[in-house]
């Protein structure tokens, strides 16, 4: 096969799987997302797949040992009253199963439908809310952690077990992404509790295998896990590679990996031996 054939093959692939020709979201899904700032995709993974990923995360949590990521604003001063949140950043660096999941077309097609043809990884996080005392997340926007000029950043929370209300499921304020960046408080950038109580927000109970996609401007949080089972999820944060970060405080391993499409402006890698002496 010569170079000409290869180019033709590339074009053919684009015509078959290319973003311009394939509708990524239904009209209904698109309208719902534009209006509400989030989209609940039911059954993105099968129950068996969700169970496999769940086990991977629980095995990982065991290898890592206790790591509590409870937000400072909800951490009780009294150790006996403390809640717990097991956490790992950049899970795909710990288990290859998650590398595959990040580029699973069932996942990336929805992300493309929201972000556009090119979807770039920002970071991933595992959260396991342990039974009976799994920490809540105060209501917040993700914006202050990694502000971007064009607000293309979205999160997807993929559920590996059922998350009913009593497990501390995700809660959102529908349409709040239209308010733009809000003034946040404290080290963890939460919103005032009296204006945005967790229990006052809309609960989105989810099933194992569901994914919830949302804008980084959407006001969201989640309650305490009071149930007798863990709530197991990963959160994938993604953006359009052409968007412009307003600061570089939040860097992560794997940031910049393309999950779908291309990076139209990625600079060439510079090898150490190519750098000019200062
Ligand atoms: O997993 C959840 O319940 C919410 C996580 C979240 O809001 C975050 O990490 O920003």
């Amino acid at each position: 096969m010569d170079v000409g054939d290869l180019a033709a093959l590339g074009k053919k692939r684009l015509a078959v799987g290319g973003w311009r020709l394939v509708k990524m979201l239904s009209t209904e899904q698109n309208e719902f997302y534009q209006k509400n700032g989030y989209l609940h995709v039911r059954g993105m993974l099968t129950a068996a797949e969700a169970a496999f990923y769940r086990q991977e995360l629980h095995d990982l949590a065991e290898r890592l040992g206790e790591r509590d990521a409870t937000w400072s604003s909800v951490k009780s001063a009294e150790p006996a009253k403390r809640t717990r949140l097991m956490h790992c950043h950049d899970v795909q660096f710990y288990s290859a199963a998650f590398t595959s999941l990040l580029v699973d077309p069932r996942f990336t097609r929805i992300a493309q439908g929201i972000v556009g043809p090119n979807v770039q990884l920002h970071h991933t996080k595992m959260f396991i809310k342990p039974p009976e005392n799994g920490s809540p997340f105060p209501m917040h926007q993700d914006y202050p952690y990694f502000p971007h000029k064009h607000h293309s950043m979205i999160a997807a929370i993929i559920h590996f077990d059922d998350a009913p209300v009593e497990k501390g499921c995700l809660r959102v304020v529908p349409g709040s992404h239209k308010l733009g960046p809000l003034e946040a408080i404290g080290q963890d950038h939460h919103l005032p509790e009296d204006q945005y109580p967790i229990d006052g927000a809309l609960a989105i109970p989810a099933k194992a295998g569901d994914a919830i996609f949302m804008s980084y401007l959407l006001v969201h949080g989640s309650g305490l896990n009071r149930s007798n089972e863990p709530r197991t999820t990963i959160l994938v944060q993604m953006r359009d590679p052409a968007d412009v970060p307003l600061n570089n405080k939040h860097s992560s391993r794997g940031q910049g990996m393309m999950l779908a499409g291309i990076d139209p402006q990625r600079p060439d890698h510079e090898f150490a031996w190519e750098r000019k002496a200062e």
Side-chain angles (χ1 to χ4, degrees):
M1 192 179 270
D2 68 17
V3 175
D5 294 338
L6 277 175
L9 185 68
K11 280 201 188 111
K12 203 165 154 199
R13 282 226 183 101
L14 194 69
V16 174
W19 178 79
R20 280 166 205 83
L21 300 179
V22 177
K23 220 169 155 198
M24 302 294 180
L25 297 185
S26 66
T27 307
E28 200 184 22
Q29 284 176 316
N30 187 37
E31 282 173 6
F32 187 93
Y33 184 86
Q34 298 306 327
K35 181 171 174 224
N36 296 289
Y38 73 95
L39 187 65
H40 184 170
V41 178
R42 292 183 173 81
M44 189 185 79
L45 303 176
T46 64
E49 287 169 321
F52 164 76
Y53 287 116
R54 181 184 190 279
Q55 191 58 51
E56 282 287 304
L57 286 186
H58 282 263
D59 290 348
L60 170 59
E62 204 172 304
R63 291 200 297 280
L64 293 173
E66 187 69 36
R67 287 175 167 213
D68 183 42
T70 301
W71 283 22
S72 51
S73 58
V74 287
K75 202 165 193 151
S76 171
E78 287 177 56
K81 290 195 181 156
R82 283 201 190 141
T83 57
R84 291 162 60 232
L85 181 65
M86 284 138 88
H87 164 253
C88 171
H89 224 90
D90 302 326
V91 282
Q92 73 280 14
F93 280 80
Y94 297 80
S95 160
F98 296 98
T99 312
S100 321
L101 182 56
L102 287 175
V103 291
D104 187 316
R106 292 170 294 178
F107 174 67
T108 54
R109 279 171 69 107
I110 306 287
Q112 284 182 295
I114 298 172
V115 173
N118 304 321
V119 180
Q120 186 179 51
L121 181 67
H122 195 263
H123 66 275
T124 66
K125 294 183 283 195
M126 164 190 93
F127 287 125
I128 301 178
K129 287 189 184 188
E132 283 150 27
N133 67 352
S135 301
F137 283 90
M139 299 303 286
H140 65 282
Q141 294 177 312
D142 291 335
Y143 168 85
Y145 289 95
F146 24 77
H148 278 60
K149 192 169 170 190
H150 303 298
H151 304 318
S152 70
M153 185 80 79
I154 62 166
I157 298 184
I158 309 178
H159 292 75
F160 301 121
D161 37 35
D162 293 352
V165 172
E166 62 275 17
K167 256 201 200 179
C169 68
L170 186 73
R171 286 179 179 260
V172 304
V173 179
S176 52
H177 63 306
K178 294 186 181 159
L179 300 172
L182 300 169
E183 195 157 334
I185 324 175
Q187 215 188 357
D188 53 19
H189 303 303
H190 64 282
L191 293 167
E193 166 74 24
D194 53 345
Q195 285 176 44
Y196 292 100
I198 299 176
D199 288 348
L202 177 72
I204 316 209
K207 293 273 182 205
D210 289 4
I212 300 166
F213 292 76
M214 62 184 159
S215 160
Y216 83 157
L217 288 172
L218 187 78
V219 175
H220 65 282
S222 62
L224 184 74
N225 182 5
R226 302 171 207 277
S227 77
N228 55 10
E229 285 175 11
R231 196 207 77 171
T232 312
T233 55
I234 64 164
L235 184 152
V236 184
Q237 207 91 45
M238 302 159 274
R239 66 182 171 199
D240 178 345
D243 204 349
V244 184
L246 301 181
N247 68 40
N248 280 315
K249 282 191 203 150
H250 199 295
S251 61
S252 289
R253 287 200 287 171
Q255 198 167 93
M257 173 185 172
M258 292 309 296
L259 305 184
I262 58 156
D263 181 345
Q265 57 199 14
R266 183 107 185 147
D268 253 2
H269 180 74
E270 189 189 20
F271 290 99
W273 61 82
E274 291 172 336
R275 265 180 230 139
K276 293 197 180 69
E278 308 260 308

